[in-house]
Amino acid sequence: MHDVIIVGGGPAGLNAALILGRARRKVLLCDAGEPRNAATPRTWGLFTRDGTPPFDLRAQGRADLERYETVECRAVSVTEAAREGDGFAVVLADGRRERARRLILATGLAQDIPEIEGFDTYWGTGVHPCPYCDGFEVRDRPLVVYGRGHGGSGLALELTGWSRDVTLCTNGGDDDLSEKDRERLARNGVRVIETEITRLEGDGTRPTCLRFRDDGSTPCAALFLMPFSCSPSPLIAQLGCELDETRSVVPTSEYEKTNVPGLYVAGDASRRVQFAVVAAAEGAMAAFAINAEFVAEATR
């Protein structure tokens, strides 16, 4: 019986394991090694580590855990999870079964990349979900938003802080874009193209042009996907976690608690902004809350 099982070895999971290790809790961290940012060359916006490659960050995080003898890291995915008594039981991909008093899901999200030619080719190098993470490197260049409705409009307007050359592409869908949104986009110099997209072209390293069904095109130094085009881990549904209105993230309460007693969700799968530094902080908060619960139980 572990004190805590952590599923996911990104910033949230690694920092949770670090805090719990320092609190001398018995921890099992399971990580499949398939992060959403695997194709991303650099991690930006992380204090003292701005621009560090994602896998270097993860390697350093695992190395930091080596001094804590109560923390075990396994390179394995978790295929099943369930409440069992007052704790949890998980099944690993290698067939082993483990139990813990508390469970932290730091699984992140699986990006649903639109099935348009070129989008997957430039995922992480020119197709991005977050302008805060990747907007600075393409500042003052032609930027494109792939999205619809108020969410697509909001992302396009947000990008005007990085470039005044912004285009919102709805890929043939225009029903959800209100007149108010259209007026605001026009007022701020954002073009709207509603024609169906055929492909994203580039030089093999970066995108350069987005082409449309009517043979039209627009320059594209980077393309940003409308928020919430992601899928949560199947473990979240297995455990009975509530999801927000987007069906993508978990609406956690204070200290990353979920509606399931003893279950915490930290990192990109929770409700807050999806920054590496925020994910790490959420992992720390979940670890703090769990250790406080253990102390309270032991000292009643």
Side-chain angles (χ1 to χ4, degrees), residues 166-232:
V166 178
T167 302
L168 171 62
C169 295
T170 66
N171 194 32
D174 59 1
D175 293 343
D176 296 331
L177 197 59
S178 70
E179 193 59 36
K180 182 177 180 180
D181 284 331
R182 289 179 185 276
E183 292 173 358
R184 190 178 177 198
L185 289 166
R187 193 164 58 247
N188 287 278
V190 177
R191 295 179 296 278
V192 178
I193 298 178
E194 297 169 354
T195 309
E196 184 180 350
I197 300 167
T198 56
R199 64 187 180 277
L200 178 64
E201 296 180 348
D203 60 9
T205 303
R206 307 282 309 187
T208 56
C209 177
L210 194 64
R211 296 203 177 273
F212 302 93
R213 184 68 62 190
D214 63 358
D215 294 327
S217 65
T218 189
C220 178
L223 184 144
F224 290 85
L225 300 178
M226 180 177 165
F228 304 120
S229 53
C230 303
S231 300

Short mmCIF file of all heavy atoms in Angstrom, two decimals, residues 166-232:
data_model
loop_
_atom_site.label_atom_id
_atom_site.label_comp_id
_atom_site.label_asym_id
_atom_site.label_seq_id
_atom_site.Cartn_x
_atom_site.Cartn_y
_atom_site.Cartn_z
N VAL A 166 -3.27 39.20 -38.02
CA VAL A 166 -3.96 38.02 -37.49
C VAL A 166 -5.17 37.69 -38.36
O VAL A 166 -5.94 38.58 -38.72
CB VAL A 166 -4.41 38.23 -36.03
CG1 VAL A 166 -5.15 37.01 -35.51
CG2 VAL A 166 -3.20 38.54 -35.14
N THR A 167 -5.32 36.40 -38.66
CA THR A 167 -6.46 35.94 -39.45
C THR A 167 -7.17 34.82 -38.70
O THR A 167 -6.52 33.89 -38.20
CB THR A 167 -6.01 35.41 -40.82
OG1 THR A 167 -5.31 36.45 -41.52
CG2 THR A 167 -7.21 34.96 -41.64
N LEU A 168 -8.49 34.91 -38.60
CA LEU A 168 -9.31 33.84 -38.02
C LEU A 168 -9.89 33.02 -39.15
O LEU A 168 -10.58 33.55 -40.03
CB LEU A 168 -10.43 34.43 -37.17
CG LEU A 168 -11.50 33.44 -36.68
CD1 LEU A 168 -10.89 32.38 -35.77
CD2 LEU A 168 -12.63 34.18 -35.96
N CYS A 169 -9.59 31.70 -39.16
CA CYS A 169 -10.09 30.79 -40.17
C CYS A 169 -11.09 29.83 -39.54
O CYS A 169 -10.74 29.11 -38.59
CB CYS A 169 -8.95 30.03 -40.82
SG CYS A 169 -7.82 31.09 -41.76
N THR A 170 -12.31 29.82 -40.06
CA THR A 170 -13.37 28.99 -39.47
C THR A 170 -13.54 27.66 -40.19
O THR A 170 -14.38 26.86 -39.79
CB THR A 170 -14.70 29.74 -39.48
OG1 THR A 170 -15.12 29.93 -40.84
CG2 THR A 170 -14.58 31.10 -38.80
N ASN A 171 -12.78 27.44 -41.26
CA ASN A 171 -12.82 26.17 -42.01
C ASN A 171 -14.23 25.82 -42.50
O ASN A 171 -14.69 24.69 -42.38
CB ASN A 171 -12.26 25.03 -41.15
CG ASN A 171 -11.96 23.78 -41.98
OD1 ASN A 171 -11.59 23.89 -43.14
ND2 ASN A 171 -12.12 22.61 -41.39
N GLY A 172 -14.91 26.83 -43.03
CA GLY A 172 -16.22 26.57 -43.60
C GLY A 172 -17.38 26.75 -42.64
O GLY A 172 -18.54 26.66 -43.03
N GLY A 173 -17.08 27.00 -41.36
CA GLY A 173 -18.14 27.17 -40.37
C GLY A 173 -18.25 28.62 -39.95
O GLY A 173 -17.26 29.25 -39.58
N ASP A 174 -19.44 29.19 -40.03
CA ASP A 174 -19.60 30.60 -39.64
C ASP A 174 -20.83 30.84 -38.78
O ASP A 174 -21.07 31.94 -38.34
CB ASP A 174 -19.67 31.49 -40.88
CG ASP A 174 -20.81 31.12 -41.82
OD1 ASP A 174 -21.57 30.17 -41.50
OD2 ASP A 174 -20.94 31.77 -42.85
N ASP A 175 -21.61 29.80 -38.54
CA ASP A 175 -22.88 29.98 -37.83
C ASP A 175 -22.72 30.48 -36.40
O ASP A 175 -23.60 31.15 -35.86
CB ASP A 175 -23.67 28.67 -37.81
CG ASP A 175 -24.14 28.27 -39.20
OD1 ASP A 175 -24.14 29.15 -40.08
OD2 ASP A 175 -24.49 27.09 -39.40
N ASP A 176 -21.58 30.12 -35.77
CA ASP A 176 -21.40 30.45 -34.35
C ASP A 176 -20.73 31.80 -34.13
O ASP A 176 -20.53 32.21 -32.99
CB ASP A 176 -20.57 29.36 -33.67
CG ASP A 176 -21.27 28.02 -33.66
OD1 ASP A 176 -22.50 28.02 -33.66
OD2 ASP A 176 -20.58 26.98 -33.67
N LEU A 177 -20.34 32.48 -35.20
CA LEU A 177 -19.67 33.77 -35.06
C LEU A 177 -20.71 34.88 -35.06
O LEU A 177 -21.35 35.16 -36.08
CB LEU A 177 -18.68 33.96 -36.21
CG LEU A 177 -17.60 35.03 -36.05
CD1 LEU A 177 -16.75 34.75 -34.82
CD2 LEU A 177 -16.72 35.08 -37.30
N SER A 178 -20.92 35.50 -33.90
CA SER A 178 -21.98 36.49 -33.76
C SER A 178 -21.60 37.79 -34.47
O SER A 178 -20.43 38.05 -34.77
CB SER A 178 -22.24 36.77 -32.29
OG SER A 178 -21.15 37.48 -31.72
N GLU A 179 -22.62 38.62 -34.71
CA GLU A 179 -22.38 39.92 -35.33
C GLU A 179 -21.50 40.78 -34.43
O GLU A 179 -20.64 41.54 -34.92
CB GLU A 179 -23.71 40.62 -35.61
CG GLU A 179 -23.58 41.82 -36.52
CD GLU A 179 -23.00 41.45 -37.88
OE1 GLU A 179 -23.30 40.36 -38.40
OE2 GLU A 179 -22.21 42.26 -38.42
N LYS A 180 -21.69 40.66 -33.14
CA LYS A 180 -20.87 41.43 -32.20
C LYS A 180 -19.41 41.01 -32.29
O LYS A 180 -18.50 41.86 -32.28
CB LYS A 180 -21.40 41.22 -30.77
CG LYS A 180 -20.65 42.02 -29.72
CD LYS A 180 -21.28 41.82 -28.34
CE LYS A 180 -20.53 42.62 -27.27
NZ LYS A 180 -21.13 42.42 -25.93
N ASP A 181 -19.17 39.69 -32.40
CA ASP A 181 -17.81 39.21 -32.54
C ASP A 181 -17.20 39.70 -33.86
O ASP A 181 -16.03 40.12 -33.90
CB ASP A 181 -17.76 37.68 -32.51
CG ASP A 181 -17.91 37.12 -31.11
OD1 ASP A 181 -17.52 37.80 -30.16
OD2 ASP A 181 -18.43 35.99 -30.96
N ARG A 182 -17.99 39.67 -34.93
CA ARG A 182 -17.49 40.11 -36.23
C ARG A 182 -17.10 41.59 -36.19
O ARG A 182 -16.06 41.99 -36.72
CB ARG A 182 -18.56 39.89 -37.31
CG ARG A 182 -18.80 38.43 -37.65
CD ARG A 182 -19.89 38.31 -38.71
NE ARG A 182 -20.21 36.92 -38.96
CZ ARG A 182 -19.53 36.14 -39.80
NH1 ARG A 182 -18.50 36.64 -40.46
NH2 ARG A 182 -19.88 34.88 -39.99
N GLU A 183 -17.92 42.39 -35.56
CA GLU A 183 -17.63 43.82 -35.46
C GLU A 183 -16.37 44.08 -34.66
O GLU A 183 -15.55 44.93 -35.02
CB GLU A 183 -18.82 44.55 -34.83
CG GLU A 183 -20.06 44.57 -35.73
CD GLU A 183 -21.26 45.14 -35.01
OE1 GLU A 183 -21.13 45.48 -33.79
OE2 GLU A 183 -22.33 45.26 -35.64
N ARG A 184 -16.21 43.34 -33.58
CA ARG A 184 -15.03 43.53 -32.74
C ARG A 184 -13.76 43.08 -33.47
O ARG A 184 -12.72 43.74 -33.39
CB ARG A 184 -15.19 42.75 -31.43
CG ARG A 184 -14.13 43.06 -30.40
CD ARG A 184 -14.38 42.30 -29.12
NE ARG A 184 -13.33 42.53 -28.13
CZ ARG A 184 -13.10 41.76 -27.09
NH1 ARG A 184 -13.89 40.71 -26.88
NH2 ARG A 184 -12.13 42.04 -26.24
N LEU A 185 -13.85 41.97 -34.20
CA LEU A 185 -12.70 41.51 -34.98
C LEU A 185 -12.32 42.54 -36.03
O LEU A 185 -11.14 42.87 -36.20
CB LEU A 185 -13.03 40.17 -35.64
CG LEU A 185 -13.15 38.96 -34.71
CD1 LEU A 185 -13.80 37.79 -35.44
CD2 LEU A 185 -11.79 38.55 -34.15
N ALA A 186 -13.30 43.06 -36.75
CA ALA A 186 -13.04 44.05 -37.79
C ALA A 186 -12.44 45.32 -37.19
O ALA A 186 -11.50 45.92 -37.76
CB ALA A 186 -14.32 44.38 -38.54
N ARG A 187 -12.95 45.73 -36.05
CA ARG A 187 -12.47 46.94 -35.40
C ARG A 187 -11.01 46.81 -34.98
O ARG A 187 -10.27 47.80 -34.93
CB ARG A 187 -13.36 47.22 -34.18
CG ARG A 187 -13.18 48.59 -33.57
CD ARG A 187 -14.33 48.94 -32.64
NE ARG A 187 -14.50 48.00 -31.55
CZ ARG A 187 -15.53 47.19 -31.42
NH1 ARG A 187 -16.51 47.19 -32.32
NH2 ARG A 187 -15.63 46.37 -30.38
N ASN A 188 -10.58 45.58 -34.72
CA ASN A 188 -9.19 45.35 -34.29
C ASN A 188 -8.31 44.79 -35.40
O ASN A 188 -7.20 44.33 -35.13
CB ASN A 188 -9.19 44.41 -33.09
CG ASN A 188 -9.68 45.08 -31.83
OD1 ASN A 188 -8.91 45.77 -31.15
ND2 ASN A 188 -10.95 44.90 -31.51
N GLY A 189 -8.78 44.87 -36.63
CA GLY A 189 -7.95 44.51 -37.77
C GLY A 189 -7.76 43.03 -37.99
O GLY A 189 -6.82 42.63 -38.70
N VAL A 190 -8.62 42.19 -37.42
CA VAL A 190 -8.51 40.74 -37.60
C VAL A 190 -9.35 40.31 -38.79
O VAL A 190 -10.56 40.56 -38.82
CB VAL A 190 -8.96 39.97 -36.34
CG1 VAL A 190 -8.90 38.46 -36.58
CG2 VAL A 190 -8.09 40.36 -35.15
N ARG A 191 -8.73 39.69 -39.77
CA ARG A 191 -9.46 39.18 -40.93
C ARG A 191 -10.18 37.88 -40.57
O ARG A 191 -9.71 37.12 -39.73
CB ARG A 191 -8.50 38.91 -42.10
CG ARG A 191 -7.84 40.16 -42.64
CD ARG A 191 -6.88 39.81 -43.77
NE ARG A 191 -5.78 38.99 -43.28
CZ ARG A 191 -4.71 39.47 -42.69
NH1 ARG A 191 -4.58 40.78 -42.49
NH2 ARG A 191 -3.74 38.67 -42.27
N VAL A 192 -11.28 37.61 -41.24
CA VAL A 192 -12.02 36.36 -41.06
C VAL A 192 -12.14 35.69 -42.42
O VAL A 192 -12.63 36.29 -43.38
CB VAL A 192 -13.42 36.60 -40.47
CG1 VAL A 192 -14.18 35.27 -40.36
CG2 VAL A 192 -13.33 37.27 -39.10
N ILE A 193 -11.66 34.44 -42.50
CA ILE A 193 -11.80 33.65 -43.71
C ILE A 193 -12.63 32.42 -43.37
O ILE A 193 -12.25 31.63 -42.51
CB ILE A 193 -10.42 33.23 -44.28
CG1 ILE A 193 -9.60 34.47 -44.65
CG2 ILE A 193 -10.60 32.32 -45.49
CD1 ILE A 193 -8.20 34.15 -45.16
N GLU A 194 -13.76 32.26 -44.06
CA GLU A 194 -14.69 31.19 -43.74
C GLU A 194 -14.64 30.03 -44.71
O GLU A 194 -15.38 29.05 -44.57
CB GLU A 194 -16.11 31.77 -43.67
CG GLU A 194 -16.23 32.80 -42.55
CD GLU A 194 -17.52 33.61 -42.61
OE1 GLU A 194 -18.29 33.44 -43.58
OE2 GLU A 194 -17.75 34.40 -41.69
N THR A 195 -13.75 30.10 -45.69
CA THR A 195 -13.61 29.05 -46.69
C THR A 195 -12.96 27.81 -46.09
O THR A 195 -12.12 27.92 -45.19
CB THR A 195 -12.76 29.55 -47.87
OG1 THR A 195 -13.27 30.80 -48.32
CG2 THR A 195 -12.75 28.56 -49.01
N GLU A 196 -13.32 26.64 -46.58
CA GLU A 196 -12.74 25.39 -46.09
C GLU A 196 -11.24 25.34 -46.37
O GLU A 196 -10.78 25.71 -47.46
CB GLU A 196 -13.42 24.21 -46.76
CG GLU A 196 -12.96 22.86 -46.25
CD GLU A 196 -13.65 21.71 -46.94
OE1 GLU A 196 -14.64 21.96 -47.67
OE2 GLU A 196 -13.21 20.56 -46.76
N ILE A 197 -10.49 24.90 -45.37
CA ILE A 197 -9.03 24.79 -45.50
C ILE A 197 -8.67 23.46 -46.17
O ILE A 197 -9.27 22.42 -45.85
CB ILE A 197 -8.36 24.86 -44.11
CG1 ILE A 197 -8.68 26.19 -43.43
CG2 ILE A 197 -6.86 24.66 -44.21
CD1 ILE A 197 -8.33 26.21 -41.95
N THR A 198 -7.70 23.49 -47.06
CA THR A 198 -7.25 22.24 -47.70
C THR A 198 -5.93 21.74 -47.13
O THR A 198 -5.75 20.54 -46.92
CB THR A 198 -7.09 22.41 -49.21
OG1 THR A 198 -6.19 23.51 -49.48
CG2 THR A 198 -8.43 22.68 -49.86
N ARG A 199 -4.98 22.65 -46.82
CA ARG A 199 -3.69 22.20 -46.30
C ARG A 199 -2.89 23.37 -45.73
O ARG A 199 -3.12 24.52 -46.09
CB ARG A 199 -2.88 21.49 -47.38
CG ARG A 199 -2.46 22.35 -48.54
CD ARG A 199 -1.81 21.51 -49.65
NE ARG A 199 -1.39 22.33 -50.77
CZ ARG A 199 -2.20 22.71 -51.76
NH1 ARG A 199 -3.48 22.37 -51.73
NH2 ARG A 199 -1.73 23.45 -52.76
N LEU A 200 -1.95 22.99 -44.89
CA LEU A 200 -0.96 23.93 -44.35
C LEU A 200 0.37 23.59 -44.99
O LEU A 200 0.86 22.47 -44.85
CB LEU A 200 -0.89 23.80 -42.83
CG LEU A 200 0.14 24.68 -42.11
CD1 LEU A 200 -0.21 26.17 -42.28
CD2 LEU A 200 0.19 24.32 -40.62
N GLU A 201 0.95 24.55 -45.67
CA GLU A 201 2.22 24.33 -46.35
C GLU A 201 3.36 24.97 -45.58
O GLU A 201 3.16 25.88 -44.78
CB GLU A 201 2.18 24.92 -47.76
CG GLU A 201 1.17 24.25 -48.68
CD GLU A 201 1.16 24.86 -50.07
OE1 GLU A 201 1.77 25.94 -50.26
OE2 GLU A 201 0.55 24.26 -50.98
N GLY A 202 4.57 24.46 -45.82
CA GLY A 202 5.74 25.02 -45.17
C GLY A 202 7.02 24.53 -45.82
O GLY A 202 7.00 23.88 -46.87
N ASP A 203 8.13 24.85 -45.17
CA ASP A 203 9.44 24.48 -45.71
C ASP A 203 10.00 23.19 -45.11
O ASP A 203 11.16 22.87 -45.30
CB ASP A 203 10.45 25.62 -45.51
CG ASP A 203 10.64 25.97 -44.04
OD1 ASP A 203 10.14 25.23 -43.15
OD2 ASP A 203 11.30 27.00 -43.76
N GLY A 204 9.14 22.47 -44.38
CA GLY A 204 9.59 21.25 -43.70
C GLY A 204 9.98 21.48 -42.26
O GLY A 204 10.03 20.54 -41.46
N THR A 205 10.25 22.73 -41.93
CA THR A 205 10.61 23.11 -40.57
C THR A 205 9.56 23.98 -39.92
O THR A 205 9.19 23.78 -38.77
CB THR A 205 11.96 23.86 -40.55
OG1 THR A 205 12.96 23.04 -41.16
CG2 THR A 205 12.39 24.18 -39.13
N ARG A 206 9.06 24.95 -40.69
CA ARG A 206 8.04 25.88 -40.20
C ARG A 206 6.96 26.05 -41.26
O ARG A 206 7.23 25.94 -42.46
CB ARG A 206 8.65 27.26 -39.91
CG ARG A 206 9.85 27.27 -39.00
CD ARG A 206 9.50 27.11 -37.56
NE ARG A 206 8.47 28.03 -37.09
CZ ARG A 206 8.12 28.15 -35.81
NH1 ARG A 206 8.72 27.40 -34.89
NH2 ARG A 206 7.19 28.98 -35.44
N PRO A 207 5.73 26.33 -40.86
CA PRO A 207 4.69 26.62 -41.85
C PRO A 207 4.91 27.98 -42.49
O PRO A 207 5.53 28.87 -41.90
CB PRO A 207 3.40 26.59 -41.04
CG PRO A 207 3.82 26.93 -39.65
CD PRO A 207 5.20 26.36 -39.49
N THR A 208 4.40 28.14 -43.70
CA THR A 208 4.53 29.41 -44.41
C THR A 208 3.21 29.90 -45.00
O THR A 208 3.03 31.10 -45.20
CB THR A 208 5.55 29.30 -45.55
OG1 THR A 208 5.16 28.25 -46.44
CG2 THR A 208 6.95 29.00 -45.00
N CYS A 209 2.28 28.96 -45.29
CA CYS A 209 1.09 29.35 -46.05
C CYS A 209 -0.06 28.39 -45.76
O CYS A 209 0.14 27.19 -45.68
CB CYS A 209 1.42 29.35 -47.53
SG CYS A 209 0.03 29.71 -48.62
N LEU A 210 -1.26 28.96 -45.62
CA LEU A 210 -2.47 28.16 -45.46
C LEU A 210 -3.29 28.27 -46.74
O LEU A 210 -3.55 29.39 -47.22
CB LEU A 210 -3.28 28.69 -44.27
CG LEU A 210 -4.40 27.80 -43.72
CD1 LEU A 210 -3.84 26.50 -43.15
CD2 LEU A 210 -5.18 28.55 -42.63
N ARG A 211 -3.69 27.13 -47.30
CA ARG A 211 -4.42 27.14 -48.57
C ARG A 211 -5.87 26.68 -48.36
O ARG A 211 -6.15 25.88 -47.48
CB ARG A 211 -3.72 26.27 -49.60
CG ARG A 211 -2.34 26.79 -49.97
CD ARG A 211 -1.85 26.32 -51.31
NE ARG A 211 -0.56 26.91 -51.64
CZ ARG A 211 -0.40 28.08 -52.24
NH1 ARG A 211 -1.47 28.79 -52.60
NH2 ARG A 211 0.80 28.55 -52.51
N PHE A 212 -6.76 27.18 -49.27
CA PHE A 212 -8.19 26.98 -49.11
C PHE A 212 -8.80 26.30 -50.33
O PHE A 212 -8.20 26.26 -51.41
CB PHE A 212 -8.87 28.33 -48.85
CG PHE A 212 -8.35 29.04 -47.64
CD1 PHE A 212 -7.32 29.97 -47.76
CD2 PHE A 212 -8.84 28.76 -46.38
CE1 PHE A 212 -6.83 30.63 -46.64
CE2 PHE A 212 -8.34 29.40 -45.25
CZ PHE A 212 -7.33 30.33 -45.39
N ARG A 213 -10.01 25.81 -50.15
CA ARG A 213 -10.71 25.06 -51.19
C ARG A 213 -10.94 25.89 -52.44
O ARG A 213 -10.98 25.36 -53.56
CB ARG A 213 -12.05 24.57 -50.63
CG ARG A 213 -12.85 23.69 -51.57
CD ARG A 213 -12.17 22.35 -51.80
NE ARG A 213 -12.04 21.58 -50.58
CZ ARG A 213 -11.31 20.47 -50.47
NH1 ARG A 213 -10.62 20.03 -51.52
NH2 ARG A 213 -11.23 19.82 -49.32
N ASP A 214 -11.07 27.21 -52.33
CA ASP A 214 -11.33 28.07 -53.49
C ASP A 214 -10.05 28.53 -54.16
O ASP A 214 -10.06 29.49 -54.94
CB ASP A 214 -12.16 29.28 -53.07
CG ASP A 214 -11.45 30.17 -52.06
OD1 ASP A 214 -10.31 29.84 -51.66
OD2 ASP A 214 -12.03 31.20 -51.67
N ASP A 215 -8.93 27.87 -53.85
CA ASP A 215 -7.60 28.18 -54.39
C ASP A 215 -6.99 29.45 -53.80
O ASP A 215 -5.92 29.89 -54.25
CB ASP A 215 -7.62 28.30 -55.92
CG ASP A 215 -7.94 26.97 -56.60
OD1 ASP A 215 -7.53 25.93 -56.05
OD2 ASP A 215 -8.59 26.98 -57.66
N GLY A 216 -7.65 30.02 -52.82
CA GLY A 216 -7.06 31.15 -52.13
C GLY A 216 -6.02 30.70 -51.13
O GLY A 216 -5.85 29.51 -50.85
N SER A 217 -5.30 31.67 -50.54
CA SER A 217 -4.26 31.35 -49.56
C SER A 217 -4.03 32.55 -48.67
O SER A 217 -4.44 33.67 -49.00
CB SER A 217 -2.95 30.95 -50.24
OG SER A 217 -2.41 32.05 -50.97
N THR A 218 -3.38 32.32 -47.54
CA THR A 218 -2.97 33.40 -46.66
C THR A 218 -1.64 33.03 -46.02
O THR A 218 -1.40 31.86 -45.69
CB THR A 218 -4.03 33.67 -45.56
OG1 THR A 218 -3.70 34.87 -44.86
CG2 THR A 218 -4.14 32.53 -44.57
N PRO A 219 -0.72 34.00 -45.88
CA PRO A 219 0.55 33.71 -45.21
C PRO A 219 0.32 33.23 -43.78
O PRO A 219 -0.63 33.66 -43.12
CB PRO A 219 1.28 35.06 -45.23
CG PRO A 219 0.62 35.84 -46.31
CD PRO A 219 -0.81 35.39 -46.33
N CYS A 220 1.17 32.32 -43.32
CA CYS A 220 0.99 31.75 -41.98
C CYS A 220 2.35 31.36 -41.41
O CYS A 220 2.94 30.35 -41.80
CB CYS A 220 0.08 30.53 -42.06
SG CYS A 220 -0.16 29.70 -40.48
N ALA A 221 2.84 32.17 -40.48
CA ALA A 221 4.09 31.84 -39.79
C ALA A 221 3.83 30.89 -38.64
O ALA A 221 4.73 30.16 -38.22
CB ALA A 221 4.77 33.11 -39.27
N ALA A 222 2.61 30.90 -38.12
CA ALA A 222 2.21 29.99 -37.05
C ALA A 222 0.70 29.94 -37.00
O ALA A 222 0.01 30.92 -37.29
CB ALA A 222 2.77 30.42 -35.70
N LEU A 223 0.18 28.78 -36.61
CA LEU A 223 -1.26 28.58 -36.50
C LEU A 223 -1.59 28.15 -35.08
O LEU A 223 -0.96 27.24 -34.54
CB LEU A 223 -1.72 27.52 -37.51
CG LEU A 223 -3.23 27.27 -37.59
CD1 LEU A 223 -3.63 26.97 -39.03
CD2 LEU A 223 -3.64 26.10 -36.70
N PHE A 224 -2.57 28.81 -34.48
CA PHE A 224 -2.97 28.52 -33.11
C PHE A 224 -4.37 27.92 -33.10
O PHE A 224 -5.29 28.44 -33.73
CB PHE A 224 -2.92 29.78 -32.25
CG PHE A 224 -1.51 30.26 -32.01
CD1 PHE A 224 -0.88 31.07 -32.95
CD2 PHE A 224 -0.82 29.87 -30.88
CE1 PHE A 224 0.43 31.50 -32.74
CE2 PHE A 224 0.49 30.29 -30.67
CZ PHE A 224 1.11 31.11 -31.61
N LEU A 225 -4.51 26.81 -32.39
CA LEU A 225 -5.77 26.10 -32.33
C LEU A 225 -6.66 26.69 -31.26
O LEU A 225 -6.21 27.04 -30.16
CB LEU A 225 -5.53 24.62 -32.02
CG LEU A 225 -4.67 23.84 -33.02
CD1 LEU A 225 -4.49 22.41 -32.53
CD2 LEU A 225 -5.30 23.85 -34.40
N MET A 226 -7.94 26.77 -31.56
CA MET A 226 -8.94 27.23 -30.59
C MET A 226 -8.84 26.41 -29.31
O MET A 226 -8.59 25.21 -29.34
CB MET A 226 -10.32 27.07 -31.20
CG MET A 226 -11.47 27.49 -30.32
SD MET A 226 -13.02 27.31 -31.23
CE MET A 226 -14.19 27.42 -29.88
N PRO A 227 -9.00 27.03 -28.13
CA PRO A 227 -8.88 26.31 -26.85
C PRO A 227 -9.80 25.11 -26.74
O PRO A 227 -10.86 25.05 -27.37
CB PRO A 227 -9.26 27.38 -25.82
CG PRO A 227 -9.02 28.68 -26.51
CD PRO A 227 -9.30 28.44 -27.96
N PHE A 228 -9.36 24.16 -25.94
CA PHE A 228 -10.14 22.99 -25.53
C PHE A 228 -10.32 21.95 -26.63
O PHE A 228 -11.21 21.13 -26.56
CB PHE A 228 -11.51 23.40 -24.97
CG PHE A 228 -11.42 24.36 -23.83
CD1 PHE A 228 -12.01 25.60 -23.90
CD2 PHE A 228 -10.72 24.03 -22.69
CE1 PHE A 228 -11.91 26.50 -22.85
CE2 PHE A 228 -10.62 24.92 -21.63
CZ PHE A 228 -11.22 26.16 -21.71
N SER A 229 -9.44 21.98 -27.67
CA SER A 229 -9.48 20.90 -28.65
C SER A 229 -8.62 19.75 -28.15
O SER A 229 -7.65 19.35 -28.75
CB SER A 229 -8.97 21.40 -30.00
OG SER A 229 -7.70 22.01 -29.87
N CYS A 230 -9.00 19.23 -26.97
CA CYS A 230 -8.21 18.22 -26.28
C CYS A 230 -9.12 17.16 -25.67
O CYS A 230 -10.32 17.37 -25.50
CB CYS A 230 -7.37 18.84 -25.16
SG CYS A 230 -6.26 20.14 -25.69
N SER A 231 -8.52 16.03 -25.34
CA SER A 231 -9.26 14.94 -24.70
C SER A 231 -8.61 14.58 -23.37
O SER A 231 -7.38 14.45 -23.31
CB SER A 231 -9.30 13.70 -25.60
OG SER A 231 -9.91 13.98 -26.82
N PRO A 232 -9.39 14.41 -22.30
CA PRO A 232 -8.81 14.02 -21.02
C PRO A 232 -8.47 12.54 -20.99
O PRO A 232 -8.92 11.76 -21.83
CB PRO A 232 -9.92 14.36 -20.03
CG PRO A 232 -11.18 14.17 -20.83
CD PRO A 232 -10.84 14.61 -22.23
#
